[in-house]
């Protein structure tokens, strides 16, 4: 019984850790460029890109998951292409990562976008006049200056991804031992009447959340001092 209980705790925890790690990398690789693009007032179709990024923040997660299921499912055009390429998204680890990424993306992009927009224009202009490109200026002047804002946005986005349930239910399928993250494991434990297990998993999630909160406060104070 003890071995089973340990497995019920360790498997969702390890799956959540892997999901958060991959999602964090995606936030850096995709979220940062998106924030940079949205900070450009003259970007064509900026409103459309902004709507897509912000939608998960204001739309019910279960509905977002349903639309993603329709978009990436085997009956869709994209789903057919994925099948031909032997790429499995729905009811797999990839589906969980996409769900976590979509859920946390607005909380990564919007605060970072605001920090980029508030960066002094005269400093960027000085960089351009010295022969530096816009990309170089952003990567080596703007980003290092607003690094605390970047870290705060990352922490908030990752915390949101860790607690994601609705989109994950649709894309991951809540398969026990395969796609049940720690949040879904709590849901399953309560549903099955295993309240002791739900309490342990919830306690772990509370502890992780407190660590996020402490780190968030530290970097928020640093951001205010700059």
């Amino acid at each position: 019984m003890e071995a089973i209980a340990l497995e019920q705790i360790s498997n969702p925890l390890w799956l959540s850790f892997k999901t958060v790690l991959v999602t964090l990398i995606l936030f850096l690789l995709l979220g940062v460029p998106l924030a940079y693009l949205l900070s450009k007032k003259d970007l064509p179709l900026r409103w459309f890109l902004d709507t897509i990024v912000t939608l998960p923040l204001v739309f019910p997660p279960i509905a977002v998951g349903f639309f993603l299921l329709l978009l990436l499912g085997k009956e869709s055009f994209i789903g057919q292409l994925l099948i031909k390429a032997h790429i499995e998204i729905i009811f797999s680890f990839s589906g969980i990562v996409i769900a976590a990424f979509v859920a946390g993306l607005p909380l990564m992009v919007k605060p970072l976008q605001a920090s980029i927009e508030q960066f002094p224009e005269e400093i960027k202009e000085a960089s351009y006049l010295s022969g530096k490109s816009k990309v170089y200026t952003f990567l080596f002047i703007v980003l290092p200056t607003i690094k605390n804002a970047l870290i705060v946005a990352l922490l908030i986005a990752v915390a949101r991804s860790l607690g994601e349930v609705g989109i994950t239910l649709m894309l991951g399928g809540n398969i026990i031992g395969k796609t049940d993250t720690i949040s879904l494991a709590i849901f399953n434990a309560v549903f099955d009447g295993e309240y002791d297990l739900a309490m342990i998993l919830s306690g772990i999630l509370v502890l992780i959340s407190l660590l996020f909160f402490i780190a968030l406060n530290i970097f928020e104070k640093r951001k205010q001092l700059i």
Side-chain angles (χ1 to χ4, degrees), residues 181-201:
T181 58
I182 189 167
S183 296
L184 285 177
I186 294 171
F187 172 82
N188 293 331
V190 173
F191 187 79
D192 294 335
E194 299 180 4
Y195 296 112
D196 289 341
L197 176 60
M199 184 64 71
I200 294 172
L201 292 171

Side-chain angles (χ1 to χ4, degrees), residues 160-226:
R160 171 66 184 89
S161 300
L162 183 64
E164 167 52 33
V165 173
I167 306 175
T168 308
L169 271 172
M170 285 292 173
L171 294 187
N174 194 17
I175 303 172
I176 305 299
K178 182 181 179 182
T179 62
D180 57 328
T181 58
I182 189 167
S183 296
L184 285 177
I186 294 171
F187 172 82
N188 293 331
V190 173
F191 187 79
D192 294 335
E194 299 180 4
Y195 296 112
D196 289 341
L197 176 60
M199 184 64 71
I200 294 172
L201 292 171
S202 297
I204 293 172
L205 205 53
V206 167
L207 179 60
I208 295 172
S209 299
L210 284 174
L211 293 175
F212 272 112
F213 182 74
I214 293 169
L216 189 61
N217 273 320
I218 291 172
F219 286 103
E220 275 285 5
K221 289 178 181 177
R222 288 185 180 181
K223 186 175 70 170
Q224 292 170 3
L225 292 174
I226 295 177

